[in-house]
Amino acid sequence: MLNSIHPPGGDPANAGARSSWFKYASPQTFYPLAGSLAPWFAWAAAILMLGGLYVGFFVAPTDQQQGESYRIIFIHVPAAWMSMFLYVVMAFWAGIGLAFNTRLSGMMASAIAPTGALFTFLALWTGSLWGKPTWGTWWVWDARLTSELILLFLYFGFIALQAAIDDPRRADRAGAVLALVGVVNIPIIYFSVQWWNTLHQGASVSLTRAPTMAATMLTGMLLMALAFWMYSIAATLLRVRSVILERERRADWIGQYVERPA
Amino acid sequence: MTWGSLNDFLVMGGYALYVWGSYGMAAVLAVAEIMALRARRRRAMDELRRARSAPDGSMR
């Protein structure tokens, strides 16, 4: 093992650079940092969401084809983006934890999973409510919907697997393997509308094509996407603090953060 | 402005069930997650306090 040969922190020649790089990788320094950052992200989420709802309901016009039912887009598309993005971030942290055996990485992965599952469920739920008036059905087994449902099961599987293993470090490793294998589902979701003949429409927003929807609709959607992003960061930071409290119970440093009962 | 009255807004052009069902679920999930986050923190803090106040300093 490398650790038995080299002192912790790695090669002494670049120990300075490494220690600053890894400073916030320790639960001890990250716990207070997460606590002071979370309210900022929560406020940003609230303000962006108010802006997004205002634009979505009072500025964006009625759609010519779909009438008012299209307003589901301001939740549906951002939620679907977050469901995929959070999975990639979760798998990234899980993979880092697996490769470098860093404790905080595994904690981040488990802190992201519930919020990722929430947005996946929301994308499916709103999609169903949008499908009924536009397609005439709550659900079809087309490639986009099915792969998004598999994403929900991957999140549930990750959470259940971690909960089933008592030793947190082993739970992290098992979860990481599942999360990394599941990453293959993300491009399948994303490209499903091109690869297969799906009832679900193609991408609403593209970086290479001119926007196909009214600018105000796009603005509302992007504001909501930013809001969901900020919300996810705030929720993850708050959850990772609880995970740290749960896992670092025996560490000396944590004594200073024990609060009196309210 | 698209809406002539509050009632217009609530009716949502006949799509009230679908639109409000979507936004309602989003609100319910957000509130539920925030409550779950608070409960988890409270539980972790209780557990921590219990472990740290063991008389012989023994911690599980």
Side-chain angles (χ1 to χ4, degrees):
Chain A
M1 295 295 283
L2 272 174
N3 278 342
S4 56
I5 304 166
H6 296 293
D11 184 1
N14 56 23
R18 283 184 66 116
S19 69
S20 61
W21 179 252
F22 279 106
K23 184 166 174 246
Y24 289 108
S26 97
Q28 183 173 358
T29 40
F30 195 71
Y31 181 83
L33 179 70
S36 50
L37 286 178
W40 293 97
F41 286 106
W43 276 109
I47 291 164
L48 286 162
M49 206 167 292
L50 282 176
L53 289 174
Y54 176 75
V55 173
F57 279 110
F58 298 106
V59 180
T62 306
D63 188 71
Q64 297 236 328
Q65 287 167 16
Q66 300 190 21
E68 310 299 351
S69 70
Y70 94 91
R71 293 187 199 274
I72 294 171
I73 202 174
F74 301 115
I75 292 196
H76 178 72
V77 173
W81 282 345
M82 287 314 298
S83 73
M84 293 186 282
F85 179 72
L86 286 174
Y87 191 90
V88 173
V89 177
M90 179 183 89
F92 169 81
W93 283 120
I96 294 286
L98 198 61
F100 300 106
N101 213 19
T102 42
R103 278 174 306 160
L104 186 61
S105 320
M107 298 180 186
M108 285 300 284
S110 15
I112 291 169
T115 303
L118 183 152
F119 280 114
T120 311
F121 177 79
L122 190 59
L124 288 165
W125 177 272
T126 55
S128 184
L129 281 170
W130 200 359
K132 187 63 183 168
T134 46
W135 302 337
T137 177
W138 301 103
W139 181 264
V140 290
W141 291 101
D142 91 350
R144 173 54 74 78
L145 279 68
T146 307
S147 53
E148 182 76 9
L149 184 64
I150 290 172
L151 182 68
L152 184 64
F153 292 152
L154 282 169
Y155 277 118
F156 285 164
F158 180 86
I159 294 167
L161 183 61
Q162 287 216 317
I165 301 174
D166 281 335
D167 174 16
R169 305 302 294 276
R170 281 188 58 219
D172 280 348
R173 283 197 293 274
V177 173
L178 176 76
L180 287 170
V181 171
V183 168
V184 75
N185 188 44
I186 296 297
I188 293 179
I189 299 174
Y190 190 79
F191 292 110
S192 57
V193 287
Q194 297 173 23
W195 292 346
W196 290 282
N197 189 9
T198 55
L199 190 53
H200 195 285
Q201 65 170 73
S204 321
V205 179
S206 161
L207 296 175
T208 51
R209 280 185 286 111
T212 51
M213 63 172 108
T216 47
M217 294 182 186
L218 190 62
T219 306
M221 210 168 80
L222 293 179
L223 280 172
M224 289 303 279
L226 277 173
F228 283 7
W229 213 324
M230 297 298 124
Y231 172 90
S232 303
I233 296 173
T236 301
L237 289 174
L238 291 174
R239 191 175 290 109
V240 83
R241 273 164 65 85
S242 291
V243 176
I244 292 173
L245 289 178
E246 289 159 9
R247 291 203 193 174
E248 302 285 291
R249 205 176 290 153
R250 269 162 278 182
D252 279 334
W253 65 267
I254 216 158
Q256 62 183 305
Y257 296 114
V258 178
E259 290 165 6
R260 306 262 116 239
Chain B
M1 178 73 94
T2 318
W3 321 104
S5 65
L6 178 65
N7 193 54
D8 263 13
F9 181 68
L10 293 177
V11 169
M12 238 341 115
Y15 294 107
L17 169 70
Y18 309 104
V19 173
W20 299 129
S22 297
Y23 284 81
M25 179 55 79
V28 165
L29 289 176
V31 168
E33 183 171 37
I34 290 164
M35 283 169 59
L37 282 168
R38 298 181 76 137
R40 184 163 180 177
R41 176 168 175 84
R42 207 178 317 114
R43 230 180 305 123
M45 207 44 102
D46 286 349
E47 196 61 32
L48 192 59
R49 215 179 292 116
R50 184 143 15 97
R52 297 224 150 224
S53 62
D56 56 346
S58 70
M59 295 170 205
R60 284 187 298 123

